[in-house]
Amino acid sequence: MMEKALGLIEMEGLAGAIAAVDAALKAAKGSIIGYEYIIGPIGLVTVKIEGDVASIEAAIAAGKTAAERVGHVLSARVIPKPDVELRKVVRSPDTTGPERRPPRVLPKELYTTG
């Protein structure tokens, strides 16, 4: 198992994601380990933070509150003891570090506007 808790906040828009991470990391000790951004009719952003369970619970609560003031939060979760297999997804080079790939673009047939 991973030694640290994993916190996730998923929201619409980059401004909300930045506000969430800023508030989360100011509220409690934790580290941002990556983000995922999907381009579509709205930009969906998921930020990933890790640290000890109590810190991540406090960080995600603060981050969610801050993001809700800026935009729409879809989900906020803390996984206290993530399985080691999650490391393949959570720490994927596609979503972490300076070599990360560009955001995914949803094909227009997967969403509707109206």
Side-chain angles (χ1 to χ4, degrees):
M1 282 190 254
M2 296 172 76
E3 295 178 17
K4 299 178 180 179
L6 172 64
L8 305 163
I9 303 173
E10 183 174 55
M11 72 226 61
E12 296 176 359
L14 187 58
I18 292 170
V21 170
D22 182 56
L25 297 180
K26 287 178 180 175
K29 187 174 181 178
S31 300
I32 185 167
I33 56 172
Y35 70 96
E36 297 185 36
Y37 183 62
I38 299 174
I39 298 173
I42 54 170
L44 296 179
V45 183
T46 303
V47 294
K48 300 179 283 188
I49 301 171
E50 70 178 5
D52 67 80
V53 175
S55 293
I56 295 306
E57 286 174 344
I60 294 302
K64 179 182 177 194
T65 298
E68 287 172 335
R69 286 193 291 264
V70 177
H72 179 68
V73 174
L74 295 149
S75 179
R77 298 287 179 262
V78 174
I79 302 172
K81 295 180 182 179
D83 188 274
V84 69
E85 289 296 307
L86 279 179
R87 194 173 293 274
K88 294 174 187 174
V89 174
V90 173
R91 293 204 171 266
S92 165
D94 292 346
T95 63
T96 59
E99 301 297 320
R100 69 181 305 276
R101 294 184 184 156
R104 290 177 283 161
V105 178
L106 289 179
K108 289 191 183 206
E109 59 270 11
L110 293 180
Y111 60 87
T112 60
T113 59

